[in-house]
Amino acid sequence: MSTSTSSRHARCERPGGRWRTLLRLVAASALLSACAVASAAVSEVKIKVPQRVGAGQLQLSAMKLTLQLDNSSPVVVTIKSPNGTRTSLPINLTTNAFDCFAGLTCTADFDAPPGLTVADAVTVIKPQQTGADPASADNRKVVLLIQLLTNVDESAPTCASTMTGDEEWTVSVPSPRIQGVALQSLDREVGGPCPQTLYRPVPANDGPFATVTEPAPEFTSGRTGLDAVLVLDRSGSMSSTDGGATSRLDKLKTATNQFVAMWNTLRNTESITGAIQSPEDHIGVVFFDDSLQWLTSGVGSKLVPFTGSTPATLSAALNPVTLGGATSIGDGLEAATGADALPASGGPNRRVVLLMTDGAQNTPRFAFADGGQIKTSDDAGNITNPTPLPKQPFQLYSVTVGNEFGPDAPINQALANITGGYSLNTTHPAAELDAFFLQALQNFHKFSTVETMRVIQDKTLYTAPFQTTFPVTSSTTRLAFNLTPQPGQQGGVRLELTPPGGGAPMIFVAPTWNTSGAISDGFRLPLPGGNNGFGEWKMRVLSNNDGKNPVPFNFVLLGDDVTLNSSLGAANAEYAVGGKIKLTAQINDFGKTLKGLNSQAGAIVKAIVVSPGNNVGDVLSDSAAQPSPSPAGDNGTAAQNKLAAILSADAGALKQNQNEVILRDDGSPASGDDKANDGIYTASVPAEFEGHYNFVFLVQGKSDSGGQFVRQQIRTVHVRSLPDPAKTQYTSNIVTIDGGKAVVIVATPKNVLGGKMGPGWANYFWFNVQGQAPVKPKDNLDGTYTVQIPFTGDPPKVSLHFLPEPIYRPDGFVPPAGTLTSGNSIGDDIIGNGPAGPGQPWWKRWWWLILIVLLLLFLLRRK
């Protein structure tokens, strides 16, 4: 982006380190808000591309232009170059269709100037296109990648200039809708002789740069601001230590501290010069149980400006947070989106919510996903009067801890999926919670080009330090990292990073070498002294312990890459046992998918899969364990408490499998790939058991624009267990009660692969009795459900129904009239009065009579 102060418009400075209290931080927010709205939207921006005449300088080869619009309505963009004009179709920003230009492509060439055979080109990236920034700032962002191929004669060994003077480009829309613009200049000063040179973001000391010369607010850091609210669980179940020495609440405090420290690092490293400041970020933190505790609160708002003093201020506020009672996720989300919290849509900032919880909702208000929105309700079971959360759309990311089962995990996953976010789950919070928070933070900053390069969970010894390498592209402008020893470790850790080409390693330590605290730091590229950082870095993690005990650690490395963008994850769907999980990986290299990685020497496109190794329903059903007591004030269900007792006695009762899958771009049914050689790599993972499937993606290879690269992402998918009519089993008996008759039905619901649904589903299974009100069964906690239905005359017609919607239904729930339909029936007429059902007593099964009659006829004929 431009660093020229002569053509830059005046802008507001962010608050400095002098702000020491949250109250003073909030007092500054009025000034920040005034700066944010000071400039009105415009319909046109003009860009000056200078002729560079410095000794040894190459001409600019590309520009990256980011437009922030005032709403997400379709927009027509016109780009006028010195060699022609290109006008888009009405671009629909809320779909992933390639509807940018005629021919339904998002890349267009300009005219070739006289005497040249090459032409400049523009690529449009919409927010919903695969690999783009997901739902960025309410789908109001458009990125234009402009290749200035006519500025340089790439057929000449020296990349000779073809420019005779400065050029002017114009980007316009039909009406004033451009709220802001970010501009990045690139040349080819790295990588080898022309034309094989790679792209480089032009550093601050090597101008001139392309500059915005017509009025438009400029995002000097390359991104809009970020408004984020952390909604964090402090309920009684957060007292669990998961077999260790540290409670979940303390692990959450550590993860929150690392989240804020890394956010601060990203802000500190995104400034190119002292004149360029980070955008106006805001943060809110609220803890919930059955009440609320805000850590950020001031005059008129629960969101406070993020400044250099925020990490220390929030860390001090985190320390006294204590455990509470019940779990009310709806209360936490309503607080986050209330009148004095998350801003309404339409502002300049991107708006996100990070929800962390370790348990099921057990007190109002209850949250659920419905009709494309997040809603809350007091009458959680009937959902007769739901209230949509205000200020939608925004993105929600959920991080959950523990062995969630039953309806809870689908609810938390649906809250994230419906907003375009995602969910992460861990059963080992000490090892993973901080990495999950940093993964979410990276995606919060996805509006720019911050990406996860490495995620490492390993150990280091004093006598044998951990070491590895990682590549950095020529188009990377900065690196930021977090190194966190796991809780309870003795001694400290040190990080050594050695740049490409050798030389002295860069050393990073906690405040003192003998402390065991985390290290959050980062730096811009090129390094002081001119090393551009392009190539393979060496990394070592050292410990100062006694040399006998290894120190486990987590390491997360983020990089800001101008030309490379990745999308690694699972297809957004509701998965069930018996199906397959679709994994996809896509690397966009200067706006176009990077093809051929499967055949590229040394390239990797894979995912490590950590999946359930047995069925939680079977584990619960087959165990004779008695439910453990619930944490004080945070009542769990009998099934949840039984699982807690099982895992307390045997931490390995729920098995896990780990393997690797290769993602392929071959168009084959085996990989689930839709089309061969389109740059979208796919793998299909069988979903054999209920539970959380964790995926660690790793893609490594060579790009055309930046050279060798590496990208990683962590994703979680929850697979549901749904009852299958053909597998579900029944028994029934007629009994006499008080002189009358009743039929006793015992159902054993099983999924399509024969695994038991297990206990915990009594409020979701309902027996519909002809002429009577629906009957809820008794959960026997062994995988069976029993119901007793009185009748006179012949046994009534009974059908069994399962309510599949991921909604919390309490014990008092009764299905409203019309709820139990053929669409959710898993067994019709299961005891008789029509075609025989599998649970009918043998004497009521008419086909026995047919067999007896046939046998008698056979015997008579023999006589």
Side-chain angles (χ1 to χ4, degrees):
M1 69 208 69
S2 167
T3 58
S4 170
T5 57
S6 61
S7 63
R8 192 181 312 283
H9 305 294
R11 60 179 56 88
C12 301
E13 296 291 327
R14 68 181 179 190
R18 64 186 182 278
W19 302 103
R20 300 302 180 193
T21 67
L22 290 176
L23 183 60
R24 296 178 69 187
L25 287 172
V26 176
S29 66
L31 173 61
L32 291 174
S33 298
C35 295
V37 299
S39 300
V42 299
S43 60
E44 180 179 274
V45 294
K46 291 186 180 297
I47 301 166
K48 173 186 173 182
V49 179
Q51 181 185 18
R52 289 154 57 90
V53 295
Q57 280 189 324
L58 296 182
Q59 301 301 336
L60 299 183
S61 294
M63 298 185 294
K64 182 176 182 179
L65 184 69
T66 302
L67 301 179
Q68 174 74 26
L69 304 174
D70 62 355
N71 62 63
S72 59
S73 300
V75 62
V76 174
V77 180
T78 299
I79 307 103
K80 183 178 180 181
S81 80
N83 299 306
T85 300
R86 294 294 178 266
T87 299
S88 74
L89 300 169
I91 303 173
N92 191 338
L93 303 177
T94 59
T95 72
N96 61 3
F98 287 84
D99 55 1
C100 303
F101 296 99
L104 299 181
T105 174
C106 286
T107 298
D109 292 334
F110 293 92
D111 301 327
L116 292 179
T117 58
V118 297
D120 297 334
V122 60
T123 298
V124 178
I125 302 177
K126 308 190 311 178
Q128 288 293 338
Q129 285 179 0
T130 304
D133 307 342
S136 299
D138 303 333
N139 294 310
R140 296 184 289 117
K141 171 184 172 182
V142 176
V143 176
L144 305 179
L145 298 174
I146 301 174
Q147 292 179 282
L148 305 172
L149 303 178
T150 61
N151 289 359
V152 174
D153 183 2
E154 293 194 354
S155 64
T158 59
C159 283
S161 170
T162 60
M163 297 182 70
T164 58
D166 297 344
E167 294 180 348
E168 182 178 81
W169 288 66
T170 302
V171 177
S172 60
V173 296
S175 59
R177 290 186 56 189
I178 302 174
Q179 286 185 315
V181 59
L183 181 61
Q184 177 76 62
S185 300
L186 299 99
D187 62 17
R188 295 185 187 254
E189 292 278 6
V190 295
C194 186
Q196 286 78 32
T197 50
L198 303 172
Y199 285 101
R200 172 194 73 156
V202 180
N205 61 356
D206 199 14
F209 316 90
T211 55
V212 177
T213 60
E214 286 294 322
E218 192 168 347
F219 299 132
T220 56
S221 68
R223 68 175 176 92
T224 60
L226 175 65
D227 292 332
V229 183
L230 279 59
V231 182
L232 309 177
D233 191 347
R234 64 167 188 180
S235 62
S237 57
M238 292 290 289
S239 62
S240 172
T241 62
D242 299 290
T246 308
S247 72
R248 291 176 177 176
L249 181 62
D250 286 336
K251 295 164 190 171
L252 171 60
K253 292 179 182 180
T254 298
T256 304
N257 275 325
Q258 303 318 315
F259 178 95
V260 177
M262 179 63 94
W263 189 346
N264 193 52
T265 296
L266 290 173
R267 287 172 56 85
N268 290 339
T269 57
E270 66 190 347
S271 296
I272 290 182
T273 71
I276 295 181
Q277 302 294 337
S278 293
E280 297 148 14
D281 296 334
H282 298 85
I283 186 172
V285 180
V286 59
F287 278 86
F288 70 91
D289 53 330
D290 49 4
S291 62
L292 300 171
Q293 180 182 355
W294 280 93
L295 299 193
T296 51
S297 184
V299 180
S301 179
K302 298 297 196 305
L303 262 68
V304 297
F306 196 113
T307 72
S309 63
T310 298
T313 304
L314 279 179
S315 182
L318 278 168
N319 289 333
V321 173
T322 57
L323 293 164
T327 305
S328 176
I329 292 176
D331 277 352
L333 293 179
E334 286 190 345
T337 56
D340 57 351
L342 195 72
S345 61
N349 281 14
R350 184 179 181 187
R351 302 170 308 121
V352 292
V353 171
L354 174 59
L355 168 65
M356 184 275 159
T357 182
D358 78 331
Q361 307 175 79
N362 53 21
T363 191
R365 289 183 65 89
F366 300 90
F368 61 99
D370 177 58
Q373 291 185 308
I374 297 177
K375 298 179 181 178
T376 62
S377 178
D378 279 330
D379 55 342
N382 293 326
I383 315 297
T384 56
N385 189 28
T387 303
L389 282 180
K391 302 173 182 176
Q392 299 186 69
F394 56 82
Q395 281 188 282
L396 182 144
Y397 296 77
S398 68
V399 176
T400 56
V401 173
N403 293 286
E404 288 185 307
F405 68 99
D408 313 313
I411 292 173
N412 291 323
Q413 180 168 270
L415 292 176
N417 287 352
I418 207 168
T419 69
Y422 59 77
S423 60
L424 295 169
N425 174 267
T426 176
T427 56
H428 304 92
E432 296 162 350
L433 197 57
D434 57 313
F436 283 6
F437 269 50
L438 296 179
Q439 181 77 87
L441 177 67
Q442 177 257 306
N443 282 271
F444 289 5
H445 283 263
K446 188 75 171 173
F447 190 99
S448 57
T449 44
V450 175
E451 301 220 312
T452 303
M453 297 173 62
R454 288 304 311 269
V455 178
I456 299 172
Q457 186 181 105
D458 216 303
K459 300 176 181 179
T460 187
L461 272 170
Y462 178 81
T463 54
F466 171 87
Q467 54 188 1
T468 188
T469 62
F470 58 86
V472 173
T473 65
S474 64
S475 49
T476 300
T477 62
R478 55 179 170 146
L479 299 175
F481 51 83
N482 180 276
L483 175 65
T484 304
Q486 289 184 17
Q489 303 305 318
Q490 299 298 316
V493 292
R494 180 177 72 183
L495 176 65
E496 292 184 355
L497 296 177
T498 303
M506 305 167 66
I507 299 175
F508 303 89
V509 298
T512 62
W513 173 239
N514 289 321
T515 66
S516 59
I519 303 169
S520 285
D521 212 330
F523 47 86
R524 288 201 64 84
L525 298 174
L527 299 170
N531 190 324
N532 58 28
F534 165 51
E536 188 171 271
W537 287 68
K538 296 179 181 179
M539 166 188 165
R540 292 206 309 164
V541 179
L542 301 93
S543 168
N544 70 340
N545 67 3
D546 60 7
K548 298 178 181 179
N549 299 318
V551 177
F553 67 88
N554 284 341
F555 177 77
V556 176
L557 175 68
L558 306 183
D560 195 346
D561 192 327
V562 174
T563 67
L564 217 61
N565 196 22
S566 66
S567 176
L568 315 174
N572 191 338
E574 185 177 281
Y575 292 100
V577 171
K580 292 187 176 181
I581 304 170
K582 184 176 182 178
L583 307 182
T584 60
Q586 179 175 326
I587 306 295
N588 290 333
D589 187 6
F590 225 104
K592 300 178 181 179
T593 57
L594 184 57
K595 303 175 183 179
L597 282 173
N598 289 140
S599 59
Q600 194 182 98
I604 300 172
V605 190
K606 71 177 183 179
I608 299 172
V609 183
V610 180
S611 60
N614 56 0
N615 190 52
V616 64
D618 289 329
V619 172
L620 280 164
S621 301
D622 299 342
S623 170
Q626 295 300 306
S628 298
S630 294
D634 195 17
N635 293 328
T637 66
Q640 291 166 344
N641 293 340
K642 181 176 181 179
L643 182 60
I646 293 171
L647 295 176
S648 177
D650 179 10
L654 293 179
K655 310 297 183 183
Q656 282 192 328
N657 295 326
Q658 180 171 320
N659 66 315
E660 293 184 358
V661 294
I662 303 299
L663 284 77
R664 304 188 184 279
D665 184 16
D666 57 4
S668 72
S671 62
D673 190 52
D674 296 327
K675 182 180 179 181
N677 198 35
D678 62 355
I680 301 175
Y681 304 82
T682 310
S684 185
V685 177
E688 298 177 329
F689 300 109
E690 176 188 4
H692 289 96
Y693 291 65
N694 283 327
F695 306 99
V696 182
F697 290 83
L698 173 63
V699 181
Q700 187 167 332
K702 184 177 181 181
S703 67
D704 293 332
S705 65
Q708 295 289 339
F709 70 91
V710 62
R711 293 293 185 271
Q712 288 198 260
Q713 281 283 298
I714 308 171
R715 289 290 187 273
T716 301
V717 166
H718 182 265
V719 172
R720 303 186 65 185
S721 185
L722 298 175
D724 180 72
K727 298 291 186 179
T728 297
Q729 298 174 331
Y730 309 91
T731 62
S732 61
N733 289 288
I734 305 297
V735 298
T736 300
I737 301 178
D738 298 330
K741 292 187 293 184
V743 59
V744 176
I745 305 172
V746 180
T748 306
K750 295 185 177 182
N751 61 41
V752 69
L753 297 184
K756 294 177 183 176
M757 288 282 292
W761 293 101
N763 299 331
Y764 296 80
F765 284 112
W766 287 85
F767 290 85
N768 201 21
V769 185
Q770 188 177 33
Q772 300 182 31
V775 182
K776 182 174 77 172
K778 175 189 174 185
D779 185 348
N780 300 312
L781 293 183
D782 62 358
T784 65
Y785 294 83
T786 301
V787 67
Q788 181 174 286
I789 303 171
F791 68 92
T792 58
D794 292 331
K797 181 178 180 180
V798 180
S799 56
L800 179 60
H801 299 256
F802 177 75
L803 304 178
E805 296 80 10
I807 296 172
Y808 175 73
R809 304 183 191 277
D811 289 339
F813 167 69
V814 176
T819 300
L820 305 181
T821 67
S822 58
N824 51 41
S825 172
I826 60 170
D828 295 323
D829 199 10
I830 59 178
I831 63 170
N833 282 3
Q840 215 176 328
W842 68 270
W843 64 84
K844 300 290 284 184
R845 295 181 180 176
W846 52 265
W847 52 269
W848 279 99
L849 180 59
I850 295 175
L851 289 177
I852 292 171
V853 170
L854 290 174
L855 179 60
L856 289 173
L857 290 174
F858 174 75
L859 292 174
L860 288 172
R861 290 186 65 181
R862 293 190 63 183
K863 290 183 179 181

